[in-house]
Amino acid sequence: MDTNQYIASGVLELYVLDLLDTSAQREEVERYVAEYPEIKRELFEIETALEAYALANARPLPAALLVPLLVSIRDTMPPTVDPVEPPMATESAPTSPPTADASTALPWLPWVLAAVLALVAAYLYFNGKSQVGEIEQERSELESEFAVLQEECDETSTALQGSQELNQLLTNPATRNVILAGSDNAPGSQAIVFHNVERDQTKFRATNLPTPPTGRQYQLWAIGDDGPVSIAVLDENLDADVLLDVDFVATAGTFAITLEETGGKPTPDLSQLQVIGEI
Amino acid sequence: MLADKLEQRQDTVLRLLRARDEEGMKQLFTHYGGALLTLIEPVIERREVAEEVLNDVLLKIWENVDSYDEGKSRLFTWMARIARNAAIDKVRSKAYREQGKTDPLTPVVTKGNNLSVTPTMEHIGVAKLLNHLDADHRAIINLLYLKDYTQSEAAEELGIPLGTIKTRSRRAITQLRTFLQSEMLWLALGLTSLISLFLANFGH
């Protein structure tokens, strides 16, 4: 596994923030943390950063809140507890600054300067190296963000193109809107057909068709010079918002929907007529 | 380094808590109580109820410290999870909801910018972090961490695509980490230069 890529993905941050959606995702993180020391180190650093952030945002607590806590724990504690551990708050004492004697300083001065220079060089080297690492990591983060945005952009352009095409068809003067009104079998049902003989296109939307009974499907017919021709068998759970592309029949003068057995039939059963409309 | 100080503090508190030393509770309260309350408050609006929950949380930490596993997370992460769960349980409890019904006029506590800093925080220098952090980085950490927003809520609030929340929160936290790590290096370099200057002057 590429642990760097895994680290750069941001999943560890979400884990610490408790924002992963499923327990499977959380378990995956825990497995990797147990397996890869570098992931574990990364995780602990993220935790430290957020800990520091919470501390930085903290407000002082009223001291009065401490009293009931101490009372509660004294109640539960065995009475003989020796305070073995002295309360310690040892900040590590700074090493005492070196005292230089003028007479002795001179002979080893070049060595000291060389050592300081070496330290500076080493610092600059490692600092530069870690910066390169950080920049690399940032680059891979930006790349993944870019990929996400690119994908969204592509999706949006495709959707936009589709909408524009549709818009052109619907506003084209040659397009006929045919409302299919409910028959006696289904007075409340309704659908609409957009039919354009110049562009050889027909589209369909089920504005109000109840779910068909099991074993049945709606079938859409175009009735023209050759009699009824099947132009679509509709999905059982067709969404009313979907605009469907259906087969084009140039001579169609009437559109109708019948309720047929699943899979559709070559000729319509007109006793099962649901909706019908003429151009 | 700041990170080292946090480490030291964690170790001390953990050792005292495990020894069942009362001092452990005092330090837990002083060092971490305010930060834990910061995580409880966005969930529970009424300050006095939030403080009650904090009380329960601190006792729970005291009682269950033996179940904390150092290999899995830092102490604070473990405590923060207890705090958040306790806050959510409280909000879902029947008593809390009924209290809300009979007391509809309780003003909602607004958490503005009055984020004053406790003296104990000041002495390890954490507060400075906030000044260094870019505003948009701060905004995303605030929503996701302190205010407990989901990814999509945060995306909506900030007006950015959901798919970028992951990389942005990473970048924000990375910036925070840089500040935690960088301080001491410059101090060390400054000190060595000072010493060399001092020696060089004596040389002439």
Side-chain angles (χ1 to χ4, degrees), chain A residues 47 59 74 85 145, chain B residues 15 22 41 77 170-171:
Chain A
E47 292 185 60
R59 278 179 291 168
R74 275 173 200 154
E85 306 274 359
E145 184 174 333
Chain B
R15 192 168 42 74
E22 194 178 294
E41 280 189 314
T77 310
R170 171 162 170 80
R171 227 178 298 147

Side-chain angles (χ1 to χ4, degrees), chain B residues 76-94:
Chain B
F76 186 78
T77 310
W78 178 74
M79 298 194 296
R81 213 157 275 173
I82 293 178
R84 233 190 259 282
N85 288 341
I88 291 167
D89 286 349
K90 183 73 182 182
V91 171
R92 288 187 186 148
S93 73
K94 207 171 160 221

Side-chain angles (χ1 to χ4, degrees), chain A residues 2-24:
Chain A
D2 183 348
T3 50
N4 279 335
Q5 199 181 350
Y6 187 73
I7 286 171
S9 75
V11 69
L12 295 174
E13 279 81 357
L14 294 188
Y15 173 79
V16 179
L17 290 166
D18 217 1
L19 284 175
L20 290 181
D21 299 327
T22 64
S23 59

Side-chain angles (χ1 to χ4, degrees), chain A residues 147-190:
Chain A
V148 171
L149 290 170
Q150 182 69 58
E151 202 176 306
E152 273 179 26
C153 187
D154 290 347
E155 278 168 18
T156 314
S157 335
T158 315
L160 179 66
Q161 202 185 350
S163 301
Q164 280 173 340
E165 278 170 18
L166 197 59
N167 193 26
Q168 278 178 12
L169 175 70
L170 297 186
T171 56
N172 187 305
T175 300
R176 296 277 169 268
N177 300 0
V178 188
I179 307 280
L180 312 191
S183 71
D184 292 343
N185 289 330
S189 294
Q190 196 193 45

Side-chain angles (χ1 to χ4, degrees), chain A residues 9 13 42 45 47 49-53 55-60 74 85 88 90 102 137 141 145, chain B residues 8 15 21-22 31 41 55 74 76-77 115-116 118 126 142 145 166-168 170-171 176-177 202:
Chain A
S9 75
E13 279 81 357
E42 180 79 10
E45 280 185 20
E47 292 185 60
L50 287 172
E51 176 176 335
Y53 193 75
L55 291 172
N57 277 294
R59 278 179 291 168
R74 275 173 200 154
E85 306 274 359
M88 59 161 268
T90 49
Q137 206 164 52
E141 284 165 26
E145 184 174 333
Chain B
Q8 258 178 23
R15 192 168 42 74
D21 188 331
E22 194 178 294
H31 296 323
E41 280 189 314
N55 182 77
R74 287 180 58 78
F76 186 78
T77 310
L115 300 166
S116 62
T118 64
V126 179
N142 270 343
Y145 187 49
K166 205 158 69 159
T167 46
R168 299 224 181 174
R170 171 162 170 80
R171 227 178 298 147
L176 198 56
R177 285 168 54 184
F202 266 82

Side-chain angles (χ1 to χ4, degrees), chain A residues 60-81:
Chain A
L61 293 176
L65 292 179
L66 179 60
V67 180
L69 281 168
L70 294 179
V71 171
S72 299
I73 63 172
R74 275 173 200 154
D75 284 350
T76 60
M77 262 197 302
T80 53
V81 174

